[in-house]
Every structure is written in structure tokens, then in C-alpha cells.
């Protein structure tokens, strides 16, 4: 799952992978570094949800 979230060429695949990640630090990293704005937003929202 992490490999897909970081490396897949298709942003929809990276987005779907983010929705299944449970590690806040990984989500924060993706939210900061992914090239696609929507993937970054999904990772950021998921991270915030897990921090609650």
C-alpha cells in the first residue's frame, strides 16, 4: 500500500492508497510532497482525522 501511495503514476491509485493508510507520519509526508493537489488534500484530511 505504501509503495502505491508514493510511487504509482496514476493519481487516483495514490489517492485510494492514502485512504487505507493508518500512519499519520506517512500521510503527512504525502500531504507535503505529492505532485497532485487532490492527493495532498486527501492525505491531509485523512491525517487530521486520525489525529483526533
Amino acid at each position: 500500500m505504501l509503495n502505491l501511495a508514493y510511487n504509482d503514476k496514476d493519481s487516483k491509485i495514490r489517492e485510494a492508497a492514502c485512504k487505507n493508510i493508518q500512519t499519520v507520519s506517512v500521510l503527512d509526508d504525502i500531504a507535503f510532497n505529492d505532485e497532485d493537489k487532490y492527493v495532498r488534500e486527501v492525505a491531509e484530511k485523512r491525517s487530521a482525522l486520525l489525529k483526533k
Side-chain angles (χ1 to χ4, degrees):
M1 195 64 58
L2 291 177
N3 187 41
L4 290 175
Y6 277 112
N7 300 316
D8 200 275
K9 293 180 189 216
D10 187 341
S11 63
K12 294 291 183 187
I13 301 292
R14 293 195 312 273
E15 171 198 332
C18 284
K19 292 179 179 178
N20 291 302
I21 293 175
Q22 300 289 325
T23 309
V24 171
S25 60
V26 171
L27 289 167
D28 288 344
D29 187 46
I30 293 169
F32 188 73
N33 292 312
D34 197 88
E35 64 190 37
D36 186 89
K37 180 183 177 192
Y38 187 69
V39 174
R40 290 193 309 266
E41 288 175 2
V42 168
E44 187 176 338
K45 289 177 183 176
R46 177 107 174 105
S47 174
L49 211 110
L50 291 173
K51 288 177 183 176
K52 287 186 177 184

